[in-house]
Amino acid sequence: MPVTTASAAVHITPVVVKTFIRHAKRKGVKFKDGDDTVQGWDDIFYDQAFHIVKAFIELGTKNTVESLQAFTNTHVPAPFWCAVVPVKIPLSSCNKAADALIEWFGPEELSRVVGGERWWQIRGLEWIDAEWITEKAYLQDGETDLGKSLTDDEKTIQRMEHLDRVMLYVHGGAFFWGSINTHRYQVIRYARKMHGRAFTVNYRKAPQYPWPCPLQDVLAAYFYLTSPPPGAVHKAVHPSKLVFAGDSAGASLCLTALTVLRDLGIPQPAGAVLISPWVDLTHSFPSVMNNTATDIIPPHGFIHKPSPLWPVHPKPEGGYTRAIPTQTNPPPPPGHADKLKPDDGRQTDQADKRLEQSIQKGEEVHAADLQDSPGDIGSQKEMLADHPKSRSGSPAESDSTREETNLKQDNEWGPSYDSVRDFWEPKPPKVLMEDPNATPLELRAQIQLYATTEQLSHPLVSPVLQSSLGNLCPLYIIAGDGECLRDEVIYVAHKAAHPKDYPVRPGILAEGRRQKENAERFQTPTKVHLQVFDDMCHVLTVFTFTESAKYAYRSIAEFVKHITDSSNEHILRNPFPELHRPPSKIPESDSETEAATESSKIKRPRGPFGDKESGGERSDVQMYKPNEAIVEKEVQRGEAEQLSQHDTPSDTVHGDSSQDIPAVFMIRERVDVLGKARPMEPVEEIEALRLKPYEIGLIKEAPVRRWLTGQEAWDKKYKRTAEHVIRKRRQYEAKAARLLEHAREQGLIHDVIQPQRSRLSANGSVSSGSVGEVESDRRWGPLDLKDENPPASAIAGRRDTSEAVALLKKTIYHNAPATHRTVPKLRTSDAVRAAFDPHDHPIKPPQQSVSEQQVHPQFVPMHGLRMWQSIIELFMRKSTKKVERGKNHASSALRSTSEKINSGIGRSDSDPAGNPAPPGVS
């Protein structure tokens, strides 16, 4: 059964019952033992919501990737009380983002690491879906631009223009699921609290559109806001009024986009909010394994029921066993993937070995098939001893020296040199084993859906491996102490604030075109506020009814308001709203008391201020205000990190008359379940910060074993499904071949690839009766991949899935790229077939990949996404009732006390007989 509202309900209902029983038992034990400690799990609402989310994600692993994508990318109508306006980011903005990435990568890296310049620019839609969001109450009254004929949605966008605080929100979902629909209610909340507007982008997702496709779309959204294309209704948003925000994979994309903007000298936004950013896709930090019980991430990671889309190899047979003991000695050394840009010596050595073994076996031998003599393969300890620099990732000689040598020898090699380069294939990655005497495993399957294993250590895939995260805009970073990504979040925050103290390992530094340059160029500390929330899981803001989330939303809103309302000089002096002096005034109408939690009923130790200190009935503003004072005390005690007078930029004080506490560049805090902040422990006591550079970004045994155990179980469970998938792929390949054959017969003419051809106006012709056209801004299509090497999962290079066939058909018959000279007419027989195909249409373009195009159901029953919001609202209403009961009780007590006081005053002003006191007598 696919992921649907019904299947989710069936799967989740028993979980709700079991959680309720376990929660009652746990509370009973705590009561019996007299345990009055307050934990996140004491809140029945959080306990239930946590297990509901965890159960839903586990349900997704029992279904296909496409099924999960379709469910979470189904269009759900927005609530009536907010203004949500859909917009389309055009191809012109996408092309601007593509040009920025092309400049960032450079020709060599595009070819060898990314796999080409064209494949990742191919998309099914002529736009990217996006939304403007704000509160209806914030819309400006009055007439809009009278000189234009505008639709109601366009008028609504213009009525938002006075809201100059803008949040560009990038949703999470492990880079392959989720959408603007799954996160809409959270974004509405941000817009309300910051008294501004938000912009969300429905970027393309893996595995159909792997790295760097999502990154291109996020950059396109930024350029769309800051440099509106012709036809856009909104005015240009100045970067100083714009803030990046995102969660999980979305937060990682935000951080990566910031580094691209920084490197290219493009103005950055005013700041960024990173919620549980996934910054290390190699899973090299301890909490990835240590926190699985307290997080919502599935026990074996993101494995899925096989489908024509994923995994790339549905069955482990045929040389694609998921992992085996390594068949070769280094390189690559244990813990590393092989290079995508090798030196000349390795290229020629591999070519010689593959040729030799091909002759011996009588068949073509690929890099994954190479074998050393079994007796020559050493243990991990021996491999590291033979390659002593493998631990640091440093090659025997610097790559820069090799590059110079390569350039000198390039002309000497002649044509054979290009042949050897094209012949190169990376060997399978080797796993760093826990037992040094073991033979390392080598991976034969792609683990992450977002990028190939060889790409995982690239700085634009795993930002924790950036050579420097200095010189970025101010960052507010939050994480849950119980989440699997906790350690990498803590590490990346410190790395940004201390660029010199957290270098990347030398091997990574040498491989990237910009890495060495950036390490020397960007040494200014990025100003960071890091908060780690006790007992909270991944993306704590999902659980909006908890006091932790309530405080987080308020803190995020105040951060956004501070950095967008203040001048650049002010932000250079102090980007932290907690240190703004005088403290910002937050209207009482902004406070939110509806999110009190079940924890308010728990017996707590009383502080010197009674129950008020415990926080049971505090609003978000009441939580935020005391924490402002706590931060000030941290600065006074030297617990916040400040620039020395020598390091403080001289221009941070000129032109700014504020009384803010200046020169603080990092605030490090923990936040308890009641929303009270406290200083974080010293750096020396944090396990994640004790890791050496050569330990980060390695492929380690424990995460691989966890994934492998689940994947092997799925291989066994879905063996017949995998065989069916292989047959379906053959059918789609035949369908694609027939489609191409008929298109050529109908007059399809396609130009030979010319790199600059698609950037000019198209002069293609349209066949009589054709319903399509040549799109001048659509640079490339699936037929333009000569000399490209897209990842195996990329839809642009495939013909064996229904979505790949749909993309092919659309770019031939409906919206052709500029490289097509004609748009043929669809055959009548093909149109008839399309009429009976649920995934096709005889006249209109077929539905594109669910990783890109929203699903618009004909019937809109109570979709699961709306059900989740209903659950959240239920929890918040229940919490609100408790708070109101507390308020009513307090009000009654105050009225009673006031009456007694007034009565006492009245009696004191009279003599016993009730006569008034004489004048002048006190």
Side-chain angles (χ1 to χ4, degrees), residues 797-818:
R798 300 182 71 170
R799 302 286 186 270
D800 58 356
T801 71
S802 62
E803 294 181 336
V805 175
L807 174 65
L808 184 64
K809 181 178 180 180
K810 180 171 183 180
T811 55
I812 291 176
Y813 289 106
H814 298 277
N815 301 97

Side-chain angles (χ1 to χ4, degrees), residues 427-444:
K427 291 165 61 179
K430 287 185 175 62
V431 178
L432 185 69
M433 310 299 285
E434 296 176 356
D435 179 5
N437 296 313
T439 300
L441 293 173
E442 64 180 33
L443 290 173
R444 297 303 189 94

Side-chain angles (χ1 to χ4, degrees), residues 521-584:
R521 181 182 175 192
F522 301 119
Q523 290 294 315
T524 303
T526 296
K527 295 179 179 179
V528 178
H529 189 175
L530 169 66
Q531 290 186 324
V532 179
F533 287 70
D534 294 348
D535 297 342
M536 290 292 106
C537 66
H538 187 56
V539 191
L540 65 95
T541 48
V542 169
F543 307 95
T544 55
F545 48 84
T546 64
E547 296 195 22
S548 296
K550 182 169 59 173
Y551 168 72
Y553 276 98
R554 171 53 54 195
S555 192
I556 290 170
E558 296 308 306
F559 174 78
V560 173
K561 289 193 284 187
H562 178 73
I563 61 176
T564 54
D565 291 352
S566 304
S567 66
N568 289 336
E569 293 80 6
H570 192 144
I571 298 303
L572 285 171
R573 178 181 175 87
N574 167 42
F576 306 114
E578 294 86 354
L579 301 179
H580 183 67
R581 295 296 177 270
S584 301

Side-chain angles (χ1 to χ4, degrees), residues 287-552:
S287 62
V288 166
M289 297 302 299
N290 297 339
N291 283 1
T292 52
T294 54
D295 204 0
I296 57 177
I297 305 301
H300 300 293
F302 291 104
I303 57 176
H304 287 272
K305 179 181 177 181
S307 70
L309 170 65
W310 185 266
V312 173
H313 303 293
K315 295 174 64 176
E317 293 88 352
Y320 295 106
T321 303
R322 308 299 181 191
I324 61 173
T326 186
Q327 300 184 105
T328 62
N329 283 310
H336 295 258
D338 207 354
K339 293 182 179 181
L340 293 169
K341 295 192 300 179
D343 58 89
D344 293 344
R346 282 213 56 204
Q347 290 182 108
T348 54
D349 180 61
Q350 183 190 107
D352 292 341
K353 286 185 177 180
R354 288 173 60 187
L355 181 60
E356 178 184 351
Q357 295 190 18
S358 294
I359 295 173
Q360 292 173 355
K361 295 183 178 181
E363 59 182 20
E364 184 179 3
V365 171
H366 293 277
D369 304 322
L370 289 173
Q371 295 181 358
D372 291 340
S373 174
D376 294 337
I377 299 176
S379 65
Q380 176 172 286
K381 185 176 182 180
E382 293 169 333
M383 290 181 182
L384 294 175
D386 291 340
H387 296 76
K389 294 189 178 182
S390 295
R391 281 174 58 82
S392 66
S394 301
E397 60 174 313
S398 71
D399 279 14
S400 59
T401 302
R402 284 176 176 158
E403 288 177 8
E404 292 174 6
T405 304
N406 292 351
L407 290 173
K408 292 176 182 178
Q409 295 178 345
D410 192 24
N411 292 330
E412 300 173 11
W413 280 86
S416 62
Y417 175 64
D418 292 330
S419 300
V420 170
R421 282 167 53 94
D422 295 339
F423 197 63
W424 167 261
E425 293 176 352
K427 291 165 61 179
K430 287 185 175 62
V431 178
L432 185 69
M433 310 299 285
E434 296 176 356
D435 179 5
N437 296 313
T439 300
L441 293 173
E442 64 180 33
L443 290 173
R444 297 303 189 94
Q446 182 176 327
I447 295 180
Q448 304 289 10
L449 287 82
Y450 182 48
T452 66
T453 308
E454 291 78 17
Q455 294 171 334
L456 296 184
S457 59
H458 193 279
L460 296 192
V461 177
S462 294
V464 75
L465 296 174
Q466 283 276 351
S467 60
S468 173
L469 289 173
N471 293 76
L472 298 178
C473 62
L475 305 177
Y476 177 39
I477 305 176
I478 67 176
D481 191 57
E483 69 170 294
C484 291
L485 305 187
R486 178 199 62 201
D487 287 352
E488 62 196 72
V489 175
I490 292 175
Y491 188 92
V492 84
H494 286 79
K495 181 181 177 74
H498 301 272
K500 299 178 183 179
D501 297 339
Y502 298 91
V504 74
R505 54 187 165 92
I508 296 292
L509 194 65
E511 290 175 7
R513 187 175 76 94
R514 294 180 178 270
Q515 289 282 62
K516 186 175 181 180
E517 175 188 344
N518 287 352
E520 299 170 353
R521 181 182 175 192
F522 301 119
Q523 290 294 315
T524 303
T526 296
K527 295 179 179 179
V528 178
H529 189 175
L530 169 66
Q531 290 186 324
V532 179
F533 287 70
D534 294 348
D535 297 342
M536 290 292 106
C537 66
H538 187 56
V539 191
L540 65 95
T541 48
V542 169
F543 307 95
T544 55
F545 48 84
T546 64
E547 296 195 22
S548 296
K550 182 169 59 173
Y551 168 72

Side-chain angles (χ1 to χ4, degrees), residues 89 168 199 217-227 237-240 242 244 257 261 266-270:
I89 301 173
L168 171 54
F199 189 82
D217 290 359
V218 172
L219 288 171
Y222 182 71
F223 293 143
Y224 176 78
L225 293 175
T226 57
S227 302
V237 179
H238 195 278
S240 65
L242 192 152
F244 274 169
L261 297 174
I266 300 172
Q268 298 178 51

